[in-house]
Amino acid sequence: MTMIRTEIATDVAARERLLDRAFGKTRRRKTSERIREGRLSAEGLAFTAVDAKGKLVGTIRLWDVVAGSAGHALLLGPLAVDCKQQGKGIGAALMRHAMAEAKMLGHTAIILVGDAPYYARFGFNGGLVADLHLPGPVDRARFLGIELIPGALDGAEGLVAGCGRREAAERQAA
């Protein structure tokens, strides 16, 4: 049995190992990572999936961004599931949970860079972000968006940039 919960501090090392295994050592060179760099995930929107023994088997986080003229949105990623646990619906459960929580918290739209056929089943599509661009190289076929509130991305154009809480500020406050 897998349980989804809010990420806790003791999840960080296991999460990072899972992401390294899932995306390789070059994962930090991606454009999406540049947007997230130096920032904390959006408040209340970092989740882990743990198995019956409490082992971390999946992760998903959402990040505050400014999506050009659309204003505030969320950037999803990365989503990862332990390779031994794939095909069991853990990734889909993490997606549904994260999207529902984001909507409940009043967020209006989510964008991501990912596998279009996988994310299409949750309602993501490229048309909503066609006139937005990222601050680095990205395969346009993998740049997708979804509106949690209808019309949130209508006419959206311009640069997607990170915003929200910075890591250093949180460390100083602690």
Side-chain angles (χ1 to χ4, degrees):
M1 181 173 138
T2 303
M3 178 182 77
I4 296 174
R5 62 177 160 103
T6 299
E7 184 180 271
I8 57 176
T10 56
D11 290 336
V12 174
R15 178 197 70 214
E16 292 302 307
R17 286 191 302 273
L18 172 62
L19 292 173
D20 283 344
R21 286 191 309 272
F23 297 104
K25 299 294 182 186
T26 62
R27 74 180 173 95
R28 297 194 186 277
R29 296 184 197 146
K30 295 181 179 187
T31 297
S32 292
E33 184 65 27
R34 299 282 69 81
I35 294 170
R36 296 186 291 259
E37 194 170 58
R39 300 201 180 270
L40 295 168
S41 57
E43 196 160 350
L45 293 173
F47 305 102
T48 53
V50 293
D51 66 13
K53 296 178 182 177
K55 180 185 175 201
L56 188 140
V57 296
T59 180
I60 190 170
R61 290 182 289 165
L62 294 152
W63 307 79
D64 293 303
V65 295
V66 174
S69 63
H72 185 267
L74 295 169
L75 175 69
L76 185 145
L79 166 65
V81 175
D82 184 280
C83 62
K84 295 175 186 170
Q85 300 293 325
Q86 290 179 358
K88 297 180 180 181
I90 296 170
L94 282 163
M95 280 296 300
R96 285 190 297 275
H97 184 82
M99 291 173 66
E101 288 293 314
K103 186 171 184 172
M104 185 185 74
L105 290 171
H107 295 283
T108 61
I110 303 172
I111 61 173
L112 63 83
V113 178
D115 183 54
Y118 179 84
Y119 291 104
R121 65 179 155 156
F122 303 104
F124 285 85
N125 72 76
L128 293 171
V129 296
D131 293 323
L132 289 171
H133 61 275
L134 297 171
V138 66
D139 177 351
R140 291 300 302 189
R142 297 174 56 82
F143 187 31
L144 311 169
I146 189 170
E147 296 174 328
L148 301 176
I149 303 295
L153 293 173
D154 281 356
E157 60 183 21
L159 179 67
V160 175
C163 67
R165 304 174 301 152
R166 291 222 174 249
E167 284 181 343
E170 287 287 315
R171 284 191 200 125
Q172 284 178 338

